[in-house]
Amino acid sequence: MPAVKAENLTITYNGKPAVEGVTFELEEGETLLLLGPNGAGKTTLLKTIACFHREYSGELKVFGRPPCNARELIGYVPQSHSLNDRVPLTALEVVAMGGLYRRGFVHFKIPPELIEKAAKALDFVGLLDFGDRLFRELSGGQRQRVLLARALVSNPRLLLLDEPLSALDPSARVEVAGVLERIKRRKGITMVITTHDVNPLLEIGDRVMLLSKRLIAFGKPEEVLKDSTIKSIYGPLARVVPVENKLFCITGDAHLHRHGGGAP
């Protein structure tokens, strides 16, 4: 049974299509890297799989169920967190919130067994010693790892991540990419990751999807990441460079309906 299956999936906002006619299957344990210019529908697709958006036609199944019947199997990490920095939450409390929401508690009634699970999740992302630190005092990379731990604490089978490397400095990107590799290798969780910079994640990507409202390409990285395909949505300056049996994708900053690439 596929982890995610879409067939002729069209997603709409107020009756207008945001994603049209998408068909793909992602097997359990695989990691999908979801690429496309700004406005291409990547976050929309992610939110629909997570059951945050429900306006769609066609077929969409998560482990054989409609998304809203599979929510307990899904962990979601948004591009920007919604935590109020004026609330003095510790890193451990933020992680525990991932389990509290599922169980109907508020954050000051954390059961001891959930504290233990949250500590293990923090340990997994390399931040066990930061459990008592206020979330608002952490660096960007540390915050992102805490949010990953929060998603992991409920033991999801599918992890959806929206731009997990954006707005991070190079060293933090390496740290977060390392945690994602550890999740894949040690936990075997299926992941769908939207990203503008695919290069730090290519080693964990089993499938790549190029989306520009419609499905442009879907398959193994070496099948999808080709000059002609990349240029078709990112513009003439985009290209794929092979270096020592690895692929490096140069896309620049592109927006839907405005082709153009940044300087390499």
Side-chain angles (χ1 to χ4, degrees):
M1 177 191 304
V4 182
K5 179 180 179 180
E7 188 169 344
N8 198 28
L9 176 66
T10 293
I11 306 169
T12 57
Y13 276 95
N14 300 319
K16 297 181 179 179
V19 173
E20 299 181 68
V22 169
T23 296
F24 72 95
E25 288 188 13
L26 184 66
E27 297 300 322
E28 186 162 8
E30 290 187 328
T31 297
L32 170 62
L33 306 179
L34 181 52
L35 311 180
N38 293 328
K42 302 186 299 296
T43 298
T44 294
L45 177 57
L46 212 65
K47 288 184 174 180
T48 305
I49 295 172
C51 188
F52 294 137
H53 183 75
R54 306 185 186 190
E55 296 178 33
Y56 69 88
S57 61
E59 182 182 31
L60 179 61
K61 295 289 179 64
V62 177
F63 297 107
R65 311 181 198 173
C68 292
N69 293 342
R71 295 186 70 171
E72 77 277 7
L73 305 177
I74 301 171
Y76 183 83
V77 181
Q79 183 172 358
S80 57
H81 70 83
S82 58
L83 298 170
N84 188 336
D85 281 346
R86 289 177 293 182
V87 179
L89 291 171
T90 67
L92 187 67
E93 288 172 326
V94 170
V95 175
M97 287 167 64
L100 294 174
Y101 289 150
R102 299 282 176 88
R103 298 169 58 168
F105 291 100
V106 292
H107 88 270
F108 54 81
K109 294 182 180 178
I110 304 176
E113 68 272 15
L114 188 51
I115 289 285
E116 183 178 350
K117 289 183 67 175
K120 288 180 179 179
L122 272 178
D123 190 28
F124 185 84
V125 302
L127 291 175
L128 180 60
D129 293 339
F130 289 75
D132 293 332
R133 292 273 293 274
L134 292 179
F135 180 79
R136 66 191 180 201
E137 295 176 352
L138 300 177
S139 68
Q142 290 167 342
R143 287 187 179 198
Q144 190 70 324
R145 284 190 280 161
V146 168
L147 296 177
L148 284 173
R150 181 177 68 169
L152 292 174
V153 79
S154 57
N155 297 316
R157 291 174 61 188
L158 173 64
L159 193 55
L160 307 174
L161 303 110
D162 195 6
E163 295 285 352
L165 305 184
S166 66
L168 299 181
D169 61 44
S171 63
R173 288 187 183 189
V174 171
E175 291 175 353
V176 173
V179 172
L180 296 176
E181 187 275 335
R182 202 176 312 140
I183 291 170
K184 179 179 179 63
R185 175 169 47 86
R186 292 174 50 183
K187 293 185 176 290
I189 297 173
T190 308
M191 291 188 283
V192 180
I193 306 172
T194 71
T195 181
H196 278 87
D197 183 6
V198 69
N199 297 311
L201 300 172
L202 272 177
E203 290 192 4
I204 67 169
D206 300 291
R207 298 286 184 268
V208 172
M209 178 187 292
L210 289 179
L211 189 67
S212 187
K213 289 201 171 182
R214 293 183 177 274
L215 183 64
I216 305 301
F218 174 83
K220 296 179 180 179
E222 63 271 19
E223 297 170 343
V224 172
L225 298 179
K226 298 180 178 179
D227 271 2
S228 58
T229 310
I230 293 296
K231 290 178 187 294
S232 72
I233 60 170
Y234 286 107
L237 295 183
R239 64 183 185 272
V240 177
V241 181
V243 179
E244 296 181 352
N245 298 319
K246 294 184 179 181
L247 297 175
F248 289 86
C249 193
I250 301 172
T251 59
D253 181 20
H255 297 261
L256 196 62
H257 307 311
R258 181 180 66 81
H259 283 314

